[in-house]
């Protein structure tokens, strides 16, 4: 007897439908799996056998063939266990196959019949919904995550007995519903607030510009000036995630297996800060089997913070060049080719020299000129070209440090950022542009939205020649100037906007 049930697989951030076919024949007892399964899928035979018996069902003493279609796509992981067990129950007559065409089954089995959580459930349920399935049965611990998907009923399953009772109509499982208040009332973390930052007004202004335009930023200064403290506060002034962005972020974290238990949706922008010993594969993503997202993708719609930038291996930082330009990264391995999104704000911090005290008002630098140049040269020119703002973070005076007056709260800065983003969005929407911030403008859009009058153009011309800017550096200044104008709700880019943008390209000015 042949039965068919349905599951869903993963490829990158996309799911795809899987048809699980089970054929039972009165022949020599054996259990075969076909359809390009990996080792974890093949091992499901023993999990299914034990769960079958321990839940009170007699295991068929016959020939069993389990096929996972389409057979040309590799099946990886343990998420197909539940679907295969249901297919075997239907083929053996323990369950009726009626209605199975509208259902999708996802989950790993324990030997006792418990249903365990798996990665990427959100992506799988989206794929099931898109293929016309009406119901999705997922592990209980993944149910809240899956319930975010509209247009499909989600049931959280604790064990095989509960599932079979539901399918037989004996004891129904209540569908899990998404609590919309999780998104609409998502509260920004107040752990890191700009109100706690003493002084550093110029650095805070630069971070506000970075947030308003989606620009990358480099903070340069001696140890103890607050570079890391400033970077950690950037997510608090970024615009709130839209629902679609929250879904995208949750998908990536679910695939990577780092979504907290019983979390339905990530409502805050991610902040990733990998150690400088990280590898190129950890930064970009990859793996010997399943291709997993790396740090650049885990920071999608959020912040990637690289502290002590020159300490990272050059092949790690060079990985960032293409993702920063394109907003996505394509990883090619022997097992396939996967594209992950990575629209992020890059924040880097570094000392001005190896010892850290070049230019310090009180501490003497122990580095020679050659050592200083060698230290800075660890960062390639092409990478620096992709970092819009390069800001010096100076040591605080005692008066600044002991000032009792609190700084401007993050919530106030975020309001200005939101207004600037709305101003830019209205400009782009009126022209039918599908970009969300100034940093995403291409060359044609820069020419269209960054028109300069004669005086302003003369200023930029002088800076281009005197600073020996690259074409990319020229465009970065225009993008920043457009953002500064947006913060002032100005339709035109004024000379002051260009001057401020130029002043925030510290390494171009070679006064480091």
């Amino acid at each position: 007897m042949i039965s068919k049930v349905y599951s869903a697989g993963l490829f990158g951030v996309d799911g795809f439908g899987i048809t699980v076919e089970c054929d039972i024949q009165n022949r020599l007892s054996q259990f075969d799996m076909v359809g390009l399964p990996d080792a974890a899928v093949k091992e499901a035979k023993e999990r299914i056998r034990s769960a079958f018996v321990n839940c009170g069902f007699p295991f068929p003493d016959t020939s069993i063939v389990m096929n996972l279609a389409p057979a040309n796509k590799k099946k990886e992981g343990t998420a197909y266990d539940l679907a295969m067990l249901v297919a075997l129950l239907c083929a053996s007559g323990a369950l009726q196959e009626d209605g199975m065409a509208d259902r999708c089954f996802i989950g790993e089995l324990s030997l006792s019949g418990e249903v365990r959580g798996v990665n990427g459930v959100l992506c799988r349920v989206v794929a099931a919904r898109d293929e016309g399935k009406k119901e999705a049965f997922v592990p209980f611990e993944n149910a809240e995550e899956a319930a975010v998907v509209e247009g499909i009923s989600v049931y959280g399953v604790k064990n095989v007995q509960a599932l079979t009772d539901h399918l037989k109509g004996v004891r129904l499982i209540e569908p899990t519903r998404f609590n919309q208040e999780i998104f609409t009332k998502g509260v920004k973390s107040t752990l890191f607030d700009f109100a706690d930052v003493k002084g550093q007004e110029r650095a805070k202004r630069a971070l506000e510009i970075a947030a308003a335009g989606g620009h990358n930023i480099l903070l340069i200064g001696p140890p103890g000036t607050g570079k890391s403290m400033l970077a950690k506060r950037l997510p608090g002034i970024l615009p709130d995630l839209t629902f679609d962005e929250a879904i995208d972020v949750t998908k990536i974290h679910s695939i990577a297996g780092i979504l907290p238990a019983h979390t339905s949706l990530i409502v805050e922008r991610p902040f990733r800060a990998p150690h400088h010993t990280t590898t190129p594969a950890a930064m970009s993503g990859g793996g010997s089997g399943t291709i997993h997202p790396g740090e650049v993708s885990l920071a999608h719609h959020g912040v990637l913070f690289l502290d002590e930038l020159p300490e990272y291996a050059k092949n790690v930082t060079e990985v960032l060049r293409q993702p920063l330009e394109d907003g996505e990264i394509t990883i090619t391995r022997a097992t396939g080719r996967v594209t992950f999104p990575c629209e992020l704000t890059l924040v880097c911090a570094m000392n001005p020299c190896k010892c850290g005290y070049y230019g310090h008002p009180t501490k003497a630098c122990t580095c020679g000129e050659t050592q200083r140049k060698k230290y800075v040269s660890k960062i390639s020119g092409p990478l620096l070209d992709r970092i819009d703002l390069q800001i010096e973070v100076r040591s605080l005076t005692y008066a600044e440090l002991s000032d009792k007056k609190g700084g401007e709260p993050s919530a106030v800065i975020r309001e200005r950022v939101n207004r600037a983003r709305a101003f830019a969005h209205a400009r782009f929407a009126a022209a039918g542009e599908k970009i969300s911030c100034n940093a995403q403008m291409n060359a044609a859009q820069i020419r269209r939205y960054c028109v300069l009058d004669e005086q302003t153009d003369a200023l930029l011309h002088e800076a281009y020649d005197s600073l020996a800017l690259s074409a990319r550096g020229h465009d970065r200044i225009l993008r920043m100037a457009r953002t500064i104008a947006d913060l002032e709700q100005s339709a035109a880019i004024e000379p002051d906007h260009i001057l401020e943008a130029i002043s925030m390209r510290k390494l171009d000015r070679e006064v480091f």
Side-chain angles (χ1 to χ4, degrees), residues 350-358 365-367 372 375-376 512:
M350 63 178 284
N351 295 331
C353 63
K354 185 69 175 176
C355 76
Y357 295 107
Y358 178 61
C365 174
T366 60
C367 304
R372 286 195 289 269
Y375 183 75
V376 176
F512 187 70

Side-chain angles (χ1 to χ4, degrees), residues 130-446:
D130 292 346
E131 293 211 349
K133 306 305 176 194
K134 302 292 189 299
E135 299 176 343
F137 294 85
V138 303
F140 182 77
E141 66 185 82
N142 296 130
E144 292 181 18
E145 170 193 347
V148 173
V149 184
E150 295 180 349
I152 187 170
S153 298
V154 173
Y155 298 90
V157 180
K158 292 183 178 180
N159 53 58
V160 171
Q161 190 63 57
L163 175 62
T164 55
D165 285 349
H166 176 88
L167 295 176
K168 290 177 180 178
V170 174
R171 187 181 296 109
L172 298 180
I173 301 171
E174 286 294 320
T176 303
R177 304 191 187 284
F178 173 57
N179 181 8
Q180 190 70 29
E181 289 187 355
I182 293 173
F183 176 72
T184 57
K185 294 188 178 180
V187 179
K188 286 264 184 184
S189 172
T190 56
L191 182 62
F192 300 112
D193 197 299
F194 272 101
D196 303 324
V197 179
K198 302 286 188 179
Q200 305 298 3
E201 298 304 320
R202 182 164 175 76
K204 287 191 280 189
R205 168 66 174 173
L207 287 166
E208 181 179 338
I209 294 170
H215 304 287
N216 304 319
I217 182 170
L218 170 63
L219 303 172
I220 308 163
T225 53
K227 301 185 295 295
S228 300
M229 179 179 66
L230 287 162
K232 290 175 182 177
R233 281 155 175 76
L234 179 59
I237 64 172
L238 289 171
D240 294 335
L241 285 172
T242 66
F243 188 76
D244 288 341
E245 287 175 339
I247 291 285
D248 291 342
V249 172
T250 306
K251 279 183 177 181
I252 295 171
H253 283 67
S254 177
I255 292 165
I258 60 174
L259 190 68
H262 302 293
T263 297
S264 59
L265 197 66
I266 293 177
V267 296
E268 292 190 6
R269 293 187 181 273
F271 180 87
R272 303 291 300 179
H275 192 260
H276 62 77
T277 56
T278 194
T279 64
M283 185 65 78
S284 64
S288 56
T290 303
I291 300 177
H292 294 288
E295 292 292 339
V296 292
S297 298
L298 293 171
H300 183 50
H301 291 316
V303 174
L304 176 65
F305 177 48
L306 304 184
D307 199 8
E308 304 298 343
L309 181 61
E311 301 301 327
Y312 287 81
K314 198 158 190 175
N315 59 349
V316 174
T317 55
E318 293 304 287
V319 161
L320 299 171
R321 287 165 57 173
Q322 179 262 333
L324 290 178
E325 201 73 18
D326 299 340
E328 62 182 23
I329 184 167
T330 300
I331 304 162
T332 304
R333 298 289 186 269
T335 53
R337 175 176 174 169
V338 172
T339 298
F340 290 112
C342 53
E343 293 180 8
L344 56 90
T345 299
L346 176 67
V347 182
C348 304
M350 63 178 284
N351 295 331
C353 63
K354 185 69 175 176
C355 76
Y357 295 107
Y358 178 61
H360 195 280
T362 58
K363 295 186 179 181
C365 174
T366 60
C367 304
E369 186 66 24
T370 303
Q371 287 177 299
R372 286 195 289 269
K373 289 182 177 179
K374 183 179 179 181
Y375 183 75
V376 176
S377 68
K378 289 182 178 180
I379 310 166
S380 71
L383 179 60
L384 282 176
D385 263 351
R386 289 165 171 82
I387 299 176
D388 301 358
L389 295 97
Q390 303 156 0
I391 297 298
E392 184 176 11
V393 184
R394 296 186 179 276
S395 298
L396 295 176
T397 64
Y398 182 78
E400 289 174 318
L401 195 59
S402 59
D403 186 4
K404 302 300 183 184
K405 185 180 178 181
E408 194 174 29
S410 292
V412 175
I413 302 173
R414 187 167 67 247
E415 286 180 10
R416 291 199 298 268
V417 168
N418 283 331
R419 285 197 299 270
R421 288 264 186 148
F423 190 81
H425 183 265
R427 179 174 61 247
F428 296 138
E433 304 282 7
K434 295 182 179 179
I435 57 176
S436 59
C437 59
N438 292 326
Q440 296 173 353
M441 287 192 293
N442 58 33
Q445 290 163 336
I446 289 172

Side-chain angles (χ1 to χ4, degrees), residues 459-486:
L459 276 173
L460 184 56
H461 187 175
E462 183 180 353
Y464 185 85
D465 291 340
S466 61
L467 301 178
L469 295 175
S470 67
R472 187 179 282 115
H474 168 272
D475 288 352
R476 297 285 176 190
I477 287 175
L478 283 174
R479 289 190 185 102
M480 277 193 291
R482 181 64 268 172
T483 298
I484 295 167
D486 290 344

Side-chain angles (χ1 to χ4, degrees), residues 53-75:
V53 173
N54 288 326
C55 289
F57 300 103
F59 195 81
D61 188 22
T62 57
S63 171
I64 302 169
V65 178
M66 199 76 70
N67 178 45
L68 279 68
N72 63 338
K73 285 190 175 182
K74 191 170 181 64
K75 318 303 183 305

Side-chain angles (χ1 to χ4, degrees), residues 1 22-32 60-66 88:
M1 182 177 177
C22 181
D23 182 27
I24 293 180
Q25 298 288 342
N26 290 320
R27 296 198 297 263
L28 184 66
S29 179
Q30 62 182 35
F31 196 158
D32 293 321
D61 188 22
T62 57
S63 171
I64 302 169
V65 178
M66 199 76 70
L88 185 56

